[in-house]
Amino acid sequence: MALPGMADDRFQTMSLQSAGACTIANKERPACAHESNYVGDIDGAAPELKYMRYTARRPDLYVTKDIEKSSPMKLHARGPQPNPNEWHNNPIEGSKPRETRFKSNRHTDPLAPEYVLPRCKLEKPPTPKFIRDGYTVTDIDGTVPKPLYPLAMRDTYNVHDIEGAQASWRPRHERARREAPPRDGLDVRDIMDEGFTTTRVTDPMNPHYFMNGMETCDDPIRTKPRALPKAIPGPYRSLYTDDILGAKSGWGAPHEMQPPPEKRRHWRHTNFVGDIGGAQADTVQHTIPTKRRTNPLNPAYRSLDGDILPDPTKPDFSHIYDHFLGPSQGP
């Protein structure tokens, strides 16, 4: 039950949505300059990755972006680039009206005064053709004074004939190494070519060396074994056993050989396998051998009883012959 002086919507009296006209001016809400849930500016309000505490601001020593031309250029530009000549006809000759005013090549910039003064090309005077010198009397004896020094003067400042008096002079052994062609350390033609003969002895069984000008070698008699006997000029039969019975391979006692070898008529080839089927090369069969006919062009088959079956491709007219001609008149 509502109290006197209280409206029925008493439960909405403290709400802005109560009935009636709004008494608060409708002002636009100011735009929020920052996010209301952002807490990055509050120390301790965001979780911290401890492993990045000392490495978050560490410079990357492998990044070369601050070095010019150390990274490849972009394949495509960021956004379309306008073409300055897309809507112009400047490259087309005669597509614009020509200027009819006078154009001058004079430079009138006082900051860069480059003026072209009048000039002309000077021609060299022509050289007269030499005919003869009328004032020369050198061909007349006694008309020219004799030289003070009849012989040529010696150059007293020239020291090229004195060894060691020139700049950058070096001794002969140094000049030979510097002026010689480059030496190839891998060239062994002086050793491997034919014609080279060495006197060194490299046989360890017969050492023969020269040290400090003295010859050093072993005693040729007491340091070597006794020489072999001389070879006999003829066959050496001490190792032959052909005359000894039983000393040859394949020998058998005469009483064990029946009949004796001199009375045998033939010798059998024990390794011959020609009479054995399948014992020869290329005789293996990888399928089951059968006598069945499986040729569809010549179907000559046998029944299970062994009788030859008729050709299935040939039509059977026996019932027609029996009907018209009788059983005995058919082919």
Side-chain angles (χ1 to χ4, degrees), residues 137-224:
V137 292
T138 54
D139 54 343
I140 304 174
D141 295 338
T143 58
V144 179
K146 294 182 179 181
L148 180 61
Y149 302 100
L151 301 178
M153 296 294 293
R154 181 172 178 267
D155 188 5
T156 57
Y157 295 98
N158 190 0
V159 292
H160 291 286
D161 55 342
I162 303 175
E163 186 177 2
Q166 297 84 16
S168 303
W169 179 87
R170 294 182 180 276
R172 180 181 178 183
H173 64 279
E174 293 187 10
R175 285 187 286 109
R177 184 177 68 254
R178 293 174 178 268
E179 298 175 2
R183 180 175 175 269
D184 188 2
L186 301 178
D187 187 7
V188 293
R189 288 178 297 179
D190 55 339
I191 303 174
M192 303 301 296
D193 286 352
E194 297 181 359
F196 176 78
T197 304
T198 179
T199 57
R200 294 180 58 189
V201 179
T202 56
D203 186 6
M205 304 301 295
N206 184 21
H208 194 91
Y209 307 110
F210 287 90
M211 295 183 297
N212 299 327
M214 296 183 295
E215 182 180 4
T216 303
C217 60
D218 291 342
D219 191 352
I221 299 177
R222 295 181 177 84
T223 59
K224 293 183 179 180

Coordinates of all heavy atoms in Angstrom, one line a residue, residues 137-224:
V137 N 128.7 31.4 -93.4 CA 130.0 31.3 -94.0 C 130.8 30.2 -93.4 O 132.0 30.2 -93.5 CB 130.7 32.6 -93.9 CG1 130.0 33.7 -94.8 CG2 130.8 33.1 -92.5
T138 N 130.1 29.2 -92.9 CA 130.8 28.1 -92.2 C 131.6 27.2 -93.2 O 132.5 26.5 -92.9 CB 129.9 27.2 -91.4 OG1 128.8 26.8 -92.2 CG2 129.3 28.0 -90.2
D139 N 131.2 27.3 -94.5 CA 131.8 26.5 -95.5 C 133.1 27.1 -96.0 O 133.8 26.6 -96.8 CB 130.9 26.2 -96.6 CG 130.3 27.5 -97.2 OD1 130.4 28.6 -96.5 OD2 129.8 27.5 -98.3
I140 N 133.5 28.3 -95.5 CA 134.7 29.0 -95.9 C 135.7 28.8 -94.7 O 135.4 29.2 -93.6 CB 134.4 30.5 -96.2 CG1 133.4 30.6 -97.3 CG2 135.7 31.2 -96.6 CD1 132.9 32.0 -97.5
D141 N 136.9 28.3 -95.0 CA 137.9 28.1 -94.0 C 138.4 29.5 -93.5 O 138.7 30.4 -94.2 CB 139.1 27.4 -94.6 CG 138.7 25.9 -95.0 OD1 137.7 25.5 -94.5 OD2 139.4 25.3 -95.9
G142 N 138.6 29.5 -92.1 CA 139.1 30.7 -91.5 C 138.1 31.8 -91.1 O 138.4 32.8 -90.6
T143 N 136.8 31.5 -91.4 CA 135.7 32.5 -91.1 C 135.1 32.2 -89.8 O 134.3 33.1 -89.3 CB 134.7 32.5 -92.2 OG1 134.1 31.2 -92.3 CG2 135.3 32.9 -93.5
V144 N 135.5 31.1 -89.1 CA 134.8 30.8 -87.8 C 136.0 30.6 -86.8 O 137.0 29.9 -87.1 CB 134.0 29.5 -88.0 CG1 133.4 29.1 -86.6 CG2 132.9 29.7 -89.0
P145 N 135.9 31.1 -85.6 CA 136.9 30.9 -84.6 C 137.0 29.5 -84.1 O 136.0 28.8 -84.1 CB 136.5 31.9 -83.5 CG 135.1 32.0 -83.6 CD 134.8 32.0 -85.1
K146 N 138.2 29.1 -83.8 CA 138.4 27.7 -83.3 C 137.8 27.6 -81.9 O 137.9 28.5 -81.1 CB 139.8 27.3 -83.3 CG 140.4 27.3 -84.7 CD 141.9 26.8 -84.7 CE 142.4 26.7 -86.1 NZ 143.9 26.3 -86.1
P147 N 137.3 26.4 -81.5 CA 136.8 26.2 -80.1 C 138.0 26.2 -79.1 O 139.1 25.9 -79.4 CB 136.2 24.8 -80.2 CG 136.8 24.1 -81.3 CD 137.2 25.2 -82.3
L148 N 137.6 26.7 -77.9 CA 138.7 26.8 -76.8 C 139.2 25.4 -76.4 O 140.4 25.2 -76.2 CB 138.1 27.5 -75.6 CG 139.0 27.7 -74.4 CD1 140.2 28.6 -74.9 CD2 138.3 28.4 -73.3
Y149 N 138.3 24.4 -76.3 CA 138.7 23.1 -76.0 C 138.4 22.2 -77.2 O 137.2 21.9 -77.5 CB 137.9 22.6 -74.7 CG 138.1 23.5 -73.5 CD1 137.1 24.4 -73.2 CD2 139.3 23.4 -72.8 CE1 137.2 25.2 -72.1 CE2 139.4 24.2 -71.7 CZ 138.4 25.1 -71.3 OH 138.6 25.9 -70.2
P150 N 139.5 21.7 -77.8 CA 139.2 20.9 -79.0 C 138.6 19.5 -78.7 O 137.8 19.0 -79.6 CB 140.6 20.7 -79.6 CG 141.5 20.9 -78.5 CD 140.9 21.9 -77.5
L151 N 138.8 19.0 -77.5 CA 138.2 17.7 -77.2 C 136.9 17.9 -76.4 O 136.7 18.9 -75.7 CB 139.2 16.8 -76.4 CG 140.5 16.5 -77.1 CD1 141.5 15.7 -76.2 CD2 140.3 15.8 -78.4
A152 N 136.1 16.9 -76.3 CA 134.8 16.9 -75.6 C 135.1 17.0 -74.1 O 136.0 16.3 -73.6 CB 133.9 15.8 -75.9
M153 N 134.4 17.8 -73.4 CA 134.6 17.9 -71.9 C 134.0 16.6 -71.2 O 133.0 16.1 -71.6 CB 133.9 19.1 -71.4 CG 134.4 20.4 -72.0 SD 136.1 20.7 -71.5 CE 135.9 21.0 -69.7
R154 N 134.7 16.3 -70.2 CA 134.3 15.1 -69.4 C 133.3 15.5 -68.4 O 133.4 16.6 -67.7 CB 135.5 14.5 -68.8 CG 135.2 13.2 -67.9 CD 136.5 12.6 -67.5 NE 136.3 11.4 -66.7 CZ 136.2 11.4 -65.3 NH1 136.5 12.6 -64.7 NH2 136.0 10.3 -64.7
D155 N 132.2 14.6 -68.2 CA 131.2 14.9 -67.2 C 131.7 14.5 -65.8 O 131.8 13.3 -65.5 CB 129.9 14.1 -67.5 CG 128.8 14.5 -66.6 OD1 129.0 15.4 -65.8 OD2 127.7 13.9 -66.7
T156 N 132.1 15.5 -65.0 CA 132.8 15.2 -63.7 C 131.7 14.8 -62.6 O 132.1 14.4 -61.6 CB 133.6 16.4 -63.2 OG1 132.7 17.6 -63.2 CG2 134.7 16.7 -64.2
Y157 N 130.4 15.0 -62.9 CA 129.4 14.7 -61.9 C 128.8 13.3 -62.1 O 128.0 12.9 -61.3 CB 128.3 15.7 -62.0 CG 128.7 17.1 -61.6 CD1 129.1 18.1 -62.5 CD2 128.8 17.5 -60.2 CE1 129.5 19.3 -62.2 CE2 129.3 18.7 -59.9 CZ 129.6 19.7 -60.8 OH 130.0 20.9 -60.5
N158 N 129.3 12.6 -63.1 CA 128.7 11.3 -63.4 C 129.5 10.3 -62.6 O 130.8 10.2 -62.8 CB 128.8 11.0 -64.9 CG 128.0 9.7 -65.3 OD1 127.5 9.1 -64.4 ND2 128.0 9.4 -66.5
V159 N 128.8 9.5 -61.8 CA 129.5 8.5 -60.9 C 129.0 7.1 -61.2 O 129.0 6.2 -60.3 CB 129.4 8.8 -59.4 CG1 130.1 10.1 -59.1 CG2 127.9 9.0 -59.1
H160 N 128.4 6.8 -62.4 CA 127.9 5.5 -62.7 C 128.9 4.5 -62.8 O 128.6 3.3 -62.7 CB 127.1 5.6 -64.0 CG 125.8 6.4 -63.8 ND1 124.7 6.0 -63.2 CD2 125.5 7.7 -64.3 CE1 123.7 6.9 -63.2 NE2 124.2 7.9 -63.9
D161 N 130.2 4.8 -63.1 CA 131.2 3.8 -63.2 C 131.8 3.5 -61.8 O 132.7 2.6 -61.7 CB 132.3 4.4 -64.1 CG 132.9 5.7 -63.6 OD1 132.1 6.4 -62.8 OD2 134.0 6.1 -64.0
I162 N 131.3 4.0 -60.7 CA 131.8 3.7 -59.4 C 130.7 2.9 -58.7 O 129.6 3.3 -58.6 CB 132.0 5.0 -58.6 CG1 133.0 5.9 -59.3 CG2 132.5 4.7 -57.2 CD1 133.2 7.3 -58.6
E163 N 131.1 1.7 -58.3 CA 130.2 0.7 -57.7 C 129.8 1.2 -56.3 O 130.7 1.5 -55.5 CB 130.8 -0.7 -57.7 CG 129.8 -1.7 -57.2 CD 130.4 -3.1 -57.2 OE1 131.6 -3.2 -57.6 OE2 129.7 -4.1 -56.9
G164 N 128.6 1.2 -56.0 CA 128.1 1.6 -54.7 C 127.8 3.1 -54.6 O 127.4 3.6 -53.5
A165 N 128.0 3.9 -55.6 CA 127.9 5.4 -55.5 C 126.5 5.8 -56.0 O 126.2 7.0 -56.1 CB 128.9 6.1 -56.3
Q166 N 125.6 4.8 -56.4 CA 124.3 5.2 -56.8 C 123.2 5.0 -55.7 O 123.5 4.3 -54.8 CB 123.9 4.3 -58.1 CG 124.8 4.5 -59.3 CD 126.0 3.7 -59.2 OE1 126.1 2.7 -58.4 NE2 127.0 4.0 -60.0
A167 N 122.1 5.6 -55.9 CA 121.0 5.4 -54.9 C 120.4 4.0 -55.1 O 120.3 3.5 -56.2 CB 120.0 6.5 -55.2
S168 N 119.9 3.5 -54.0 CA 119.3 2.1 -54.0 C 120.3 1.1 -54.5 O 119.8 0.1 -55.1 CB 118.0 2.1 -54.8 OG 117.1 3.1 -54.3
W169 N 121.5 1.2 -54.3 CA 122.5 0.2 -54.7 C 122.5 -0.9 -53.7 O 122.3 -0.7 -52.5 CB 123.9 0.8 -54.8 CG 124.9 -0.2 -55.2 CD1 125.3 -0.5 -56.4 CD2 125.7 -1.0 -54.3 NE1 126.3 -1.5 -56.4 CE2 126.6 -1.8 -55.1 CE3 125.8 -1.1 -52.9 CZ2 127.5 -2.7 -54.6 CZ3 126.8 -1.9 -52.4 CH2 127.6 -2.7 -53.2
R170 N 122.6 -2.2 -54.2 CA 122.7 -3.3 -53.4 C 123.8 -4.2 -53.9 O 124.2 -4.2 -55.0 CB 121.3 -4.1 -53.4 CG 120.2 -3.4 -52.8 CD 118.9 -4.1 -52.9 NE 117.8 -3.4 -52.3 CZ 117.5 -3.3 -51.0 NH1 118.3 -4.0 -50.1 NH2 116.5 -2.7 -50.5
P171 N 124.3 -5.1 -53.0 CA 125.4 -6.0 -53.4 C 124.9 -7.0 -54.5 O 123.7 -7.1 -54.8 CB 125.8 -6.7 -52.1 CG 125.3 -5.8 -51.0 CD 124.1 -5.1 -51.5
R172 N 125.9 -7.7 -55.0 CA 125.6 -8.6 -56.1 C 124.7 -9.7 -55.7 O 123.8 -10.1 -56.5 CB 126.9 -9.1 -56.7 CG 126.7 -10.0 -57.9 CD 128.1 -10.5 -58.4 NE 127.9 -11.4 -59.5 CZ 128.9 -12.1 -60.1 NH1 130.2 -11.8 -59.7 NH2 128.7 -12.9 -61.1
H173 N 125.0 -10.3 -54.6 CA 124.2 -11.5 -54.1 C 122.7 -11.1 -53.9 O 121.8 -11.9 -54.0 CB 124.8 -12.1 -52.9 CG 124.8 -11.2 -51.7 ND1 125.8 -10.2 -51.5 CD2 124.0 -11.2 -50.6 CE1 125.5 -9.6 -50.3 NE2 124.4 -10.2 -49.8
E174 N 122.5 -9.8 -53.4 CA 121.1 -9.4 -53.2 C 120.4 -9.1 -54.6 O 119.2 -9.3 -54.8 CB 121.0 -8.2 -52.3 CG 121.5 -8.5 -50.9 CD 121.2 -7.4 -49.9 OE1 120.6 -6.4 -50.4 OE2 121.7 -7.4 -48.8
R175 N 121.2 -8.5 -55.5 CA 120.6 -8.1 -56.8 C 120.3 -9.4 -57.6 O 119.3 -9.4 -58.3 CB 121.5 -7.2 -57.6 CG 121.6 -5.8 -57.0 CD 122.4 -4.9 -57.9 NE 123.8 -5.1 -57.8 CZ 124.6 -5.7 -58.7 NH1 124.1 -6.1 -59.8 NH2 125.9 -5.9 -58.4
A176 N 121.1 -10.4 -57.4 CA 120.8 -11.7 -58.1 C 119.5 -12.3 -57.7 O 118.7 -12.9 -58.5 CB 122.0 -12.7 -57.9
R177 N 119.2 -12.2 -56.4 CA 117.9 -12.8 -55.9 C 116.7 -11.9 -56.3 O 115.6 -12.4 -56.6 CB 117.9 -12.9 -54.4 CG 116.7 -13.6 -53.8 CD 116.8 -13.8 -52.3 NE 116.8 -12.5 -51.6 CZ 117.8 -11.9 -51.0 NH1 119.0 -12.5 -51.1 NH2 117.8 -10.8 -50.4
R178 N 116.9 -10.6 -56.3 CA 115.8 -9.7 -56.6 C 115.5 -9.6 -58.1 O 114.4 -9.5 -58.6 CB 116.1 -8.3 -56.1 CG 116.0 -8.2 -54.6 CD 116.5 -6.8 -54.1 NE 116.4 -6.7 -52.7 CZ 115.4 -6.3 -52.0 NH1 114.3 -5.9 -52.6 NH2 115.4 -6.2 -50.7
E179 N 116.6 -9.6 -58.9 CA 116.4 -9.4 -60.4 C 116.2 -10.8 -61.1 O 115.8 -10.7 -62.3 CB 117.7 -8.8 -60.9 CG 117.9 -7.4 -60.4 CD 119.3 -6.8 -60.9 OE1 119.9 -7.5 -61.7 OE2 119.6 -5.7 -60.5
A180 N 116.4 -11.9 -60.4 CA 116.2 -13.2 -61.1 C 114.6 -13.4 -61.2 O 113.8 -12.9 -60.5 CB 116.8 -14.3 -60.2
P181 N 114.2 -14.3 -62.1 CA 112.8 -14.6 -62.3 C 112.3 -15.4 -61.0 O 113.1 -15.9 -60.3 CB 112.8 -15.5 -63.5 CG 114.1 -16.0 -63.7 CD 115.1 -14.9 -63.2
P182 N 111.0 -15.3 -60.7 CA 110.5 -16.0 -59.5 C 110.8 -17.5 -59.6 O 110.7 -18.1 -60.6 CB 109.0 -15.7 -59.6 CG 108.7 -15.3 -61.0 CD 110.0 -14.7 -61.5
R183 N 111.2 -18.0 -58.5 CA 111.6 -19.5 -58.4 C 110.4 -20.3 -58.0 O 109.6 -19.9 -57.0 CB 112.7 -19.6 -57.3 CG 113.2 -21.1 -57.2 CD 114.3 -21.1 -56.2 NE 114.7 -22.5 -55.9 CZ 114.3 -23.2 -54.9 NH1 113.4 -22.7 -54.1 NH2 114.7 -24.5 -54.7
D184 N 110.1 -21.4 -58.7 CA 109.0 -22.3 -58.4 C 109.5 -23.4 -57.5 O 110.4 -24.2 -57.9 CB 108.5 -22.9 -59.7 CG 107.2 -23.6 -59.5 OD1 106.7 -23.7 -58.3 OD2 106.6 -24.2 -60.4
G185 N 109.1 -23.4 -56.2 CA 109.5 -24.4 -55.3 C 109.1 -25.8 -55.6 O 109.6 -26.8 -55.1
L186 N 108.0 -26.0 -56.4 CA 107.5 -27.3 -56.8 C 108.0 -27.8 -58.1 O 107.6 -28.9 -58.5 CB 105.9 -27.2 -56.8 CG 105.2 -26.8 -55.6 CD1 103.7 -26.7 -55.8 CD2 105.5 -27.7 -54.4
D187 N 108.9 -27.1 -58.7 CA 109.5 -27.5 -60.0 C 110.7 -28.5 -59.7 O 111.7 -28.1 -59.1 CB 110.0 -26.3 -60.8 CG 110.4 -26.7 -62.2 OD1 110.2 -27.9 -62.5 OD2 111.0 -25.8 -62.9
V188 N 110.5 -29.7 -60.1 CA 111.5 -30.7 -59.8 C 112.1 -31.3 -61.2 O 112.5 -32.4 -61.2 CB 111.0 -31.9 -59.0 CG1 110.6 -31.4 -57.6 CG2 109.7 -32.5 -59.6
R189 N 112.0 -30.5 -62.2 CA 112.5 -31.0 -63.5 C 114.0 -31.2 -63.5 O 114.5 -32.0 -64.2 CB 112.1 -30.0 -64.6 CG 110.6 -30.0 -64.9 CD 110.3 -28.9 -66.0 NE 110.6 -27.6 -65.5 CZ 110.5 -26.5 -66.3 NH1 110.0 -26.6 -67.5 NH2 110.7 -25.3 -65.7
D190 N 114.7 -30.5 -62.6 CA 116.2 -30.7 -62.6 C 116.5 -32.0 -61.9 O 117.7 -32.5 -62.0 CB 116.8 -29.5 -61.9 CG 116.3 -29.3 -60.5 OD1 115.1 -29.8 -60.3 OD2 116.9 -28.7 -59.6
I191 N 115.5 -32.7 -61.2 CA 115.8 -33.9 -60.6 C 115.1 -35.1 -61.4 O 115.8 -36.2 -61.5 CB 115.2 -33.9 -59.1 CG1 115.8 -32.7 -58.4 CG2 115.4 -35.2 -58.4 CD1 115.2 -32.5 -57.0
M192 N 114.0 -34.9 -61.9 CA 113.2 -36.0 -62.5 C 113.5 -36.1 -64.0 O 113.2 -37.2 -64.6 CB 111.7 -35.8 -62.3 CG 111.3 -35.7 -60.9 SD 111.8 -37.1 -59.9 CE 110.7 -38.4 -60.7
D193 N 114.0 -35.1 -64.7 CA 114.3 -35.2 -66.1 C 115.4 -36.2 -66.4 O 116.3 -36.5 -65.5 CB 114.7 -33.8 -66.7 CG 113.5 -32.9 -66.8 OD1 112.4 -33.4 -66.5 OD2 113.7 -31.7 -67.1
E194 N 115.3 -36.8 -67.5 CA 116.3 -37.8 -67.9 C 117.6 -37.1 -68.2 O 117.7 -36.0 -68.6 CB 115.9 -38.5 -69.2 CG 114.6 -39.3 -69.0 CD 114.2 -40.0 -70.3 OE1 115.0 -39.9 -71.3 OE2 113.2 -40.8 -70.3
G195 N 118.7 -37.8 -67.8 CA 120.0 -37.3 -68.0 C 120.7 -36.9 -66.7 O 121.9 -36.8 -66.6
F196 N 119.9 -36.7 -65.6 CA 120.4 -36.4 -64.3 C 120.9 -37.7 -63.7 O 120.2 -38.7 -63.6 CB 119.4 -35.7 -63.4 CG 119.9 -35.4 -62.1 CD1 120.8 -34.4 -61.8 CD2 119.5 -36.2 -61.0 CE1 121.3 -34.1 -60.6 CE2 120.0 -35.9 -59.7 CZ 120.9 -34.9 -59.5
T197 N 122.1 -37.7 -63.2 CA 122.7 -38.9 -62.5 C 123.3 -38.5 -61.2 O 124.0 -37.5 -61.1 CB 123.8 -39.5 -63.4 OG1 123.3 -39.9 -64.7 CG2 124.3 -40.8 -62.7
T198 N 122.9 -39.1 -60.1 CA 123.4 -38.8 -58.8 C 124.4 -39.8 -58.4 O 124.4 -40.9 -58.8 CB 122.2 -38.8 -57.8 OG1 122.7 -38.5 -56.5 CG2 121.5 -40.1 -57.8
T199 N 125.3 -39.3 -57.5 CA 126.4 -40.1 -57.0 C 126.1 -40.6 -55.6 O 127.0 -41.2 -55.0 CB 127.7 -39.4 -57.1 OG1 127.6 -38.1 -56.3 CG2 128.1 -39.0 -58.5
R200 N 125.0 -40.3 -55.1 CA 124.6 -40.7 -53.7 C 124.3 -42.2 -53.7 O 123.8 -42.7 -54.6 CB 123.4 -39.9 -53.2 CG 123.7 -38.4 -53.0 CD 122.4 -37.8 -52.5 NE 122.0 -38.3 -51.2 CZ 120.9 -38.1 -50.6 NH1 120.0 -37.2 -51.2 NH2 120.6 -38.6 -49.5
V201 N 124.7 -42.8 -52.6 CA 124.5 -44.2 -52.4 C 123.4 -44.4 -51.3 O 123.6 -43.9 -50.1 CB 125.8 -45.0 -51.9 CG1 125.5 -46.4 -51.7 CG2 126.9 -44.8 -53.0
T202 N 122.3 -44.9 -51.7 CA 121.2 -45.0 -50.7 C 120.8 -46.4 -50.4 O 119.7 -46.7 -50.0 CB 119.9 -44.3 -51.3 OG1 119.7 -44.8 -52.6 CG2 120.2 -42.8 -51.5
D203 N 121.7 -47.4 -50.7 CA 121.5 -48.8 -50.4 C 121.9 -49.1 -49.0 O 123.1 -49.0 -48.6 CB 122.3 -49.6 -51.4 CG 122.0 -51.1 -51.3 OD1 121.0 -51.4 -50.5 OD2 122.6 -51.9 -51.9
P204 N 120.9 -49.4 -48.1 CA 121.3 -49.7 -46.7 C 122.2 -51.0 -46.6 O 122.8 -51.1 -45.5 CB 120.0 -49.8 -46.0 CG 119.0 -50.3 -47.0 CD 119.5 -49.6 -48.3
M205 N 122.1 -51.9 -47.6 CA 123.0 -53.1 -47.5 C 124.4 -52.8 -47.9 O 125.3 -53.6 -47.6 CB 122.4 -54.2 -48.4 CG 120.9 -54.5 -48.1 SD 120.7 -55.1 -46.4 CE 121.6 -56.6 -46.4
N206 N 124.6 -51.7 -48.6 CA 125.9 -51.3 -49.0 C 126.2 -49.8 -48.7 O 126.2 -49.0 -49.7 CB 126.2 -51.6 -50.5 CG 127.6 -51.4 -50.9 OD1 128.5 -51.3 -50.1 ND2 127.8 -51.2 -52.2
P207 N 126.3 -49.4 -47.5 CA 126.4 -48.0 -47.2 C 127.8 -47.5 -47.6 O 128.8 -48.0 -47.3 CB 126.3 -48.0 -45.6 CG 126.7 -49.3 -45.2 CD 126.3 -50.3 -46.3
H208 N 127.7 -46.4 -48.3 CA 128.9 -45.7 -48.8 C 128.7 -44.2 -48.8 O 127.9 -43.7 -49.6 CB 129.2 -46.2 -50.3 CG 130.6 -45.9 -50.8 ND1 131.6 -46.8 -50.6 CD2 131.0 -44.8 -51.4 CE1 132.7 -46.2 -51.1 NE2 132.4 -45.0 -51.6
Y209 N 129.3 -43.5 -47.8 CA 129.0 -42.1 -47.6 C 130.4 -41.4 -47.6 O 131.4 -41.9 -47.3 CB 128.3 -41.9 -46.3 CG 127.0 -42.7 -46.2 CD1 126.9 -43.7 -45.3 CD2 125.9 -42.4 -47.1 CE1 125.7 -44.5 -45.2 CE2 124.8 -43.2 -47.0 CZ 124.7 -44.2 -46.1 OH 123.5 -45.0 -46.0
F210 N 130.3 -40.0 -47.8 CA 131.4 -39.1 -47.7 C 131.0 -38.1 -46.7 O 130.1 -37.3 -46.9 CB 131.7 -38.5 -49.0 CG 132.4 -39.4 -50.0 CD1 131.6 -40.2 -50.9 CD2 133.7 -39.6 -50.1 CE1 132.1 -41.0 -51.8 CE2 134.3 -40.5 -51.0 CZ 133.5 -41.2 -51.9
M211 N 131.8 -38.1 -45.6 CA 131.6 -37.1 -44.5 C 132.9 -36.4 -44.2 O 133.9 -37.0 -43.9 CB 131.0 -37.8 -43.2 CG 129.7 -38.5 -43.4 SD 129.0 -39.3 -41.9 CE 130.3 -40.5 -41.7
N212 N 132.7 -35.1 -44.3 CA 133.9 -34.2 -44.0 C 135.1 -34.5 -44.9 O 136.3 -34.5 -44.5 CB 134.3 -34.3 -42.5 CG 133.3 -33.8 -41.6 OD1 132.5 -32.9 -41.9 ND2 133.2 -34.5 -40.4
G213 N 134.8 -34.9 -46.2 CA 135.8 -35.3 -47.1 C 136.4 -36.6 -47.0 O 137.3 -37.0 -47.7
M214 N 135.9 -37.4 -46.0 CA 136.4 -38.8 -45.8 C 135.4 -39.8 -46.2 O 134.2 -39.6 -46.0 CB 136.8 -39.0 -44.3 CG 137.9 -38.1 -43.8 SD 138.4 -38.4 -42.1 CE 136.8 -38.0 -41.3
E215 N 135.8 -40.9 -46.8 CA 135.0 -42.0 -47.3 C 134.7 -42.9 -46.1 O 135.6 -43.4 -45.4 CB 135.6 -42.7 -48.4 CG 134.8 -43.8 -49.0 CD 135.5 -44.5 -50.2 OE1 136.7 -44.2 -50.5 OE2 134.9 -45.4 -50.8
T216 N 133.4 -43.3 -46.0 CA 133.0 -44.2 -44.9 C 132.2 -45.3 -45.5 O 131.2 -45.0 -46.2 CB 132.1 -43.4 -43.8 OG1 132.9 -42.4 -43.3 CG2 131.7 -44.4 -42.7
C217 N 132.6 -46.5 -45.3 CA 131.9 -47.7 -45.9 C 132.2 -48.9 -45.1 O 133.1 -48.9 -44.3 CB 132.3 -47.9 -47.4 SG 134.0 -48.2 -47.7
D218 N 131.5 -50.0 -45.3 CA 131.7 -51.3 -44.6 C 132.8 -52.1 -45.3 O 133.1 -51.8 -46.5 CB 130.4 -52.1 -44.5 CG 129.4 -51.4 -43.6 OD1 129.8 -50.6 -42.8 OD2 128.2 -51.8 -43.8
D219 N 133.3 -53.1 -44.5 CA 134.3 -54.0 -45.1 C 133.6 -54.9 -46.1 O 132.7 -55.6 -45.8 CB 134.9 -54.8 -44.0 CG 136.1 -55.6 -44.5 OD1 136.4 -55.6 -45.7 OD2 136.8 -56.2 -43.6
P220 N 134.0 -54.8 -47.4 CA 133.3 -55.6 -48.4 C 133.5 -57.1 -48.2 O 132.8 -57.9 -48.9 CB 134.0 -55.2 -49.7 CG 135.3 -54.7 -49.3 CD 135.2 -54.1 -47.9
I221 N 134.3 -57.6 -47.3 CA 134.6 -59.1 -47.2 C 134.0 -59.6 -45.9 O 133.3 -60.6 -45.9 CB 136.1 -59.4 -47.2 CG1 136.7 -58.9 -48.6 CG2 136.4 -60.9 -47.0 CD1 138.2 -59.1 -48.7
R222 N 134.2 -58.9 -44.8 CA 133.8 -59.5 -43.5 C 132.4 -59.1 -43.1 O 131.9 -59.6 -42.1 CB 134.8 -59.0 -42.4 CG 136.2 -59.5 -42.6 CD 137.1 -59.0 -41.5 NE 138.5 -59.6 -41.6 CZ 139.4 -59.1 -42.3 NH1 139.2 -58.0 -43.1 NH2 140.6 -59.7 -42.4
T223 N 131.8 -58.1 -43.8 CA 130.4 -57.7 -43.4 C 129.4 -58.3 -44.3 O 128.2 -57.9 -44.2 CB 130.4 -56.2 -43.4 OG1 130.7 -55.7 -44.7 CG2 131.3 -55.6 -42.4
K224 N 129.7 -59.2 -45.2 CA 128.8 -59.7 -46.2 C 128.8 -61.3 -46.1 O 129.8 -61.8 -45.8 CB 129.1 -59.3 -47.6 CG 128.9 -57.8 -47.8 CD 129.1 -57.4 -49.3 CE 128.9 -55.9 -49.5 NZ 129.2 -55.5 -50.9

